[in-house]
Amino acid sequence: MNVQTVEPSADADALLPGAQFSDAYSVATDSAELNARQAAERMLGHGPRWIEMLLALRNFLVAPFGLKTSAPNETGASDIIGIFPIVSQTPDRLVAGFNDKHLDFRVVVDVATSGAARNVTATTLVKTHNWLGRTYLAIILPFHRLVVRSLLRQVAT
């Protein structure tokens, strides 16, 4: 279950116009019938304990700044995976995320057939709005890379 760094999809800018940050990671799985919703549920539905602890610390630290600490209600999303409201979904792609005062973000889960395997790609897109968003992004990036790789490994197991 080797997680690879890949290029974000060509249409990533359409998913969050003006995004200043994007990255993508991919893993192969032998679950031939896996769709994007199932892959997103494996990734985002429940993470390892160390990720839950990091998220709890993050929520504690950002609360004084008025940043969102859970899935927001105002997005109109009636469907949520973990803490992420679903923006759109098809069998091959699920887009989740929300907008906040410091930044907007999307996590995109794509599945594609590659021979007998299914490749699952997680793309993160971020559009910052102010110094707080840029600072927040710079602080969380090292953790983000570890977290996404770990979550993708859950898809392959």
Side-chain angles (χ1 to χ4, degrees):
M1 85 185 107
N2 191 16
V3 176
Q4 302 288 324
T5 303
V6 297
E7 289 295 317
S9 64
D11 66 343
D13 191 52
L15 299 171
L16 186 60
Q20 297 107 334
F21 172 81
S22 65
D23 68 0
Y25 300 92
S26 185
V27 68
T29 178
D30 56 6
S31 300
E33 300 301 317
L34 187 71
N35 64 37
R37 171 79 188 212
Q38 293 163 333
E41 287 171 345
R42 287 185 190 180
M43 275 184 64
L44 306 171
H46 184 72
R49 182 79 180 127
W50 68 270
I51 293 175
E52 291 175 4
M53 291 174 62
L54 275 177
L55 186 58
L57 177 62
R58 175 249 181 233
N59 289 345
F60 174 76
L61 293 173
V62 303
F65 296 98
L67 304 183
K68 294 175 183 171
T69 58
S70 62
N73 294 327
E74 69 273 7
T75 63
S78 61
D79 204 1
I80 294 174
I81 297 178
I83 64 167
F84 302 103
I86 296 172
V87 175
S88 66
Q89 67 179 320
T90 66
D92 294 330
R93 171 176 279 176
L94 183 137
V95 180
F98 52 82
N99 301 338
D100 204 345
K101 66 182 183 181
H102 67 309
L103 58 77
D104 302 341
F105 87 95
R106 301 292 181 271
V107 59
V108 183
V109 178
D110 288 305
V111 294
T113 302
S114 177
R118 295 284 275 172
N119 284 336
V120 178
T121 302
T123 302
T124 304
L125 305 165
V126 179
K127 177 180 179 180
T128 61
H129 297 301
N130 50 40
W131 69 268
L132 182 57
R134 291 184 293 280
T135 302
Y136 176 84
L137 183 61
I139 291 169
I140 63 107
L141 271 181
F143 302 102
H144 162 79
R145 292 178 176 113
L146 293 171
V147 167
V148 173
R149 287 181 172 117
S150 179
L151 294 176
L152 262 177
R153 286 186 192 100
Q154 293 184 157
V155 176
T157 58

